[in-house]
Each structure stands twice: as structure tokens, then as C-alpha cells.
Amino acid sequence: MSGEPEAASSARVPEGARIDLHTHSSESDGTERPADLVRSAAGAGLDIVAITDHDTTSGWADAARAGQELGVGIVFGMELSTQYEYASVHVLAYLFDPDHESLRYELARVRAERLRRAKSMVERIGADYPITWDDVVRQTSDGATVGRPHIADALVERGIIANRSEAFTGILHWRGGYYRPHYAPAPLDGVRLIREAGGVPVLAHPATRGRMRLPEEYTKTLVDAGLAGVEIDHRDNTDEGKAQLRDIARRYNLIMTGSSDYHGDGKPNRLGENLTAPDQLRRILGEPTATQAQL
Ligand code: AMP
Ligand code: FE
Ligand code: FE
Ligand code: ZN
């Protein structure tokens, strides 16, 4: 189980393949179970899809089965929560060993912290609105990584707000009065850990409107630590940010990806709305990886 020669991976990623490398299932804050997510990917005409739930690999097995059944290629991934100063930074991780001990430990810690933080937020919200922790539990699949979207769903169910977006611009906004942070490793530690676990780290949506950007100096330290790529074609990256990212990617020889960041009904993002070029996926597959994609 390690990297493969360029020729072999090229054969499995044909020219013209439609590839979406960033999606969420109900194992985190997406609304479709992993198998249904893969079914939706087939319906959207995708040839290859990555399942990248927040801080968990628990959807991999079901996605693999569905992919086999439906003839959709699966790239096993995850979106790691990290933190730079006060900003949350997401790092996509592909094809790492899900049993790697220190990574597993770190993921368990982040998920436990997310749970603690969600309870604390709900307690604060509960002082002003009729919502309880049980409401949130009902919106969360067993064992799923808990996030603000689950609190949003509970608020919607209670009729307090209309949809997730309304929650994120109001009650759940970091300046909405109820926000609590949670522990997450520094991006640099995240990148190192992903590499240590035999994975390929790619910075997720690094040029999101209204969000802090990592200074290029820091990005350079990430590259030195093994950062392999940047997600450029993503609806939340600004046009100006995309241009800067292309420039950075060229200068540091980084892989350039594109994706939908699909969350089922939880977000307007549609599968395949942004794609990753086949040669860029081949570069990911050409890295030394602990797990093989199912293509
Ligand atoms: P958390 O990680 O718990 O702080 O919540 C952030 C998550 O909420 C991200 O992974 C996004 O997918 C999701 N999110 C952010 N903004 C929105 C929005 N406007 N509508 C729906 N989901 C959102
Ligand atoms: Fe999400
Ligand atoms: Fe993200
Ligand atoms: Zn995402």
C-alpha cells in the first residue's frame, strides 16, 4: 500500500473524467448518508468523488461499497479542523491511514472538543430560545462529528429560524453572541500529522470572502512541512483570491483542486459545480499514500 507509478494512476483517471474532491455526508454536517452521497454523485454525472467529512473517516466503508455498486470512483478523504490564531482553517487530507495512532488520537480529541463546544453553545442559546441539547442530538447521526450546522437544524425544527444560512448569519455567527471556540491543532501540526499518517494535505478554500487568509510566509512553512495542494475552484474563494492562489500554486509547485463542498440539502453547493482536473488528481495519486483510492 504505497504510491504507484504515474502510468498506473493515469490509466485509472481518464482524460475528461469528472472529479469532485470535497463532499460531506451525514457522518459530519452533510444531510445524506455516505451511500446516498455516492448515489447523488452518480446522478450528477461524476466519475470520481472524494468523501471528506469533518474530522472523521467513519463514512469511508459505506462510500466504498456504494462506489463499487454504482461504478463511481472513490477518493478517501477528510477535512481536518485546524486553527490559526483565532481563525478556523480547514485542511483536506486524502488517502491517509485511518488507523494511524497519533492521527486517530487527535481526531478523537477534536471531535470531543466539538461536542463540548456544541453543548456549551446550546446552553447559551437555550437561555434565550426554546432549544435543548436533545433537539440537537435528534438532528445528528449516531457518531457523527457535531458542528454548528446540527444546532442550526435544531433551531429550524423548533421554528426559530428558516434555514441553516439564516442561523449562520445570526445566532450561530461568531459574533452572534453565542459562539464558542473549540480546540483544533495548528495548521502546521495538521499538515505534519496528515503526512505522518501517509496522507496528502490540501488547503481547503483558502481565499474565502470575509475570512482571514494565511500569510504567505506561513503557507510557505506548510509547504515545507508537506502541504501538497490548494483548493482553488471553490465557490467561497473570491476571484481575486483564486488568482493569487494560482500564482502561489505555480511558484510552490502545488496541486490545484476544485470541488463543490457538497453538504446535501444543508448548503446550496451542488455536486460537480467545480471540478478537479484529471492531471491534478493524478498528482495526488502519485504521492506516497497509505491508502489507495478505489478507482
Ligand atoms: P463549525 O465547524 O461547527 O464551526 O461549523 C462550520 C460548518 O458550518 C462548516 O463546515 C460549513 O460547512 C457549515 N456552514 C458554514 N456556513 C454555512 C451556511 N451559511 N449554511 C450552511 N452551512 C454553513
Ligand atoms: Fe461543513
Ligand atoms: Fe471547509
Ligand atoms: Zn467542507
Side-chain angles (χ1 to χ4, degrees), residues 22 24 54 79 90 204-205 211 231 234 261 263 267:
H22 182 170
H24 296 266
H54 298 284
E79 187 173 17
H90 289 169
H205 44 72
R211 274 225 237 161
E231 185 181 51
H234 182 292
D261 204 354
H263 282 67
K267 272 189 164 183

Side-chain angles (χ1 to χ4, degrees), residues 52-200:
T52 55
D53 279 307
H54 298 284
D55 308 311
T56 185
T57 60
S58 58
W60 285 15
D62 284 349
R65 266 190 294 276
Q68 204 131 45
E69 219 171 88
L70 299 162
V72 175
I74 307 291
V75 176
F76 302 101
M78 181 179 75
E79 187 173 17
L80 179 68
S81 305
T82 73
Q83 181 157 342
Y84 181 82
E85 291 173 4
Y86 291 103
S88 124
V89 171
H90 289 169
V91 183
L92 291 158
Y94 298 106
L95 304 173
F96 54 92
D97 172 9
D99 296 322
H100 185 272
E101 205 154 331
S102 354
L103 180 59
R104 270 178 61 149
Y105 178 87
E106 190 66 7
L107 294 178
R109 182 175 175 197
V110 171
R111 289 194 305 264
E113 266 287 303
R114 281 175 154 285
L115 186 61
R116 182 199 56 73
R117 170 262 204 158
K119 284 179 179 166
S120 156
M121 282 185 70
V122 169
E123 203 172 294
R124 291 159 74 107
I125 299 167
D128 293 336
Y129 298 94
I131 182 181
T132 66
W133 180 244
D134 275 351
D135 295 334
V136 178
V137 170
R138 266 200 305 281
Q139 299 300 326
T140 312
S141 300
D142 258 357
T145 303
V146 185
R148 280 181 288 165
H150 301 103
I151 305 176
D153 292 347
L155 291 165
V156 171
E157 211 215 8
R158 282 278 181 173
I160 297 164
I161 50 158
N163 51 49
R164 282 187 183 186
S165 298
E166 195 186 326
F168 275 91
T169 53
I171 297 174
L172 298 181
H173 191 270
W174 67 274
R175 284 192 304 208
Y178 305 99
Y179 186 83
R180 301 297 295 152
H182 66 78
Y183 162 83
L188 183 58
D189 293 323
V191 164
R192 286 187 178 133
L193 198 49
I194 291 162
R195 277 294 186 187
E196 215 181 273
V200 183

Side-chain angles (χ1 to χ4, degrees), residues 146-283:
V146 185
R148 280 181 288 165
H150 301 103
I151 305 176
D153 292 347
L155 291 165
V156 171
E157 211 215 8
R158 282 278 181 173
I160 297 164
I161 50 158
N163 51 49
R164 282 187 183 186
S165 298
E166 195 186 326
F168 275 91
T169 53
I171 297 174
L172 298 181
H173 191 270
W174 67 274
R175 284 192 304 208
Y178 305 99
Y179 186 83
R180 301 297 295 152
H182 66 78
Y183 162 83
L188 183 58
D189 293 323
V191 164
R192 286 187 178 133
L193 198 49
I194 291 162
R195 277 294 186 187
E196 215 181 273
V200 183
V202 171
L203 211 47
H205 44 72
T208 302
R209 197 178 310 281
R211 274 225 237 161
M212 204 259 266
R213 311 251 172 107
L214 288 178
E216 186 173 333
E217 256 324 286
Y218 189 79
T219 305
K220 191 174 174 304
T221 66
L222 295 183
V223 173
D224 292 339
L227 182 71
V230 281
E231 185 181 51
I232 299 182
D233 290 319
H234 182 292
R235 65 156 68 202
D236 293 346
N237 285 334
T238 64
D239 288 342
E240 170 235 359
K242 285 179 192 173
Q244 288 169 353
L245 286 169
R246 285 204 176 88
D247 176 56
I248 287 173
R250 257 181 234 113
R251 285 189 282 116
Y252 297 104
N253 192 29
L254 297 172
I255 298 167
M256 299 183 243
T257 71
S259 74
S260 63
D261 204 354
Y262 180 69
H263 282 67
D265 295 335
K267 272 189 164 183
N269 310 30
R270 292 301 90 192
L271 281 164
E273 67 176 31
N274 284 294
L275 298 169
T276 296
D279 62 315
Q280 300 301 300
L281 174 56
R282 286 183 206 127
R283 286 182 68 185

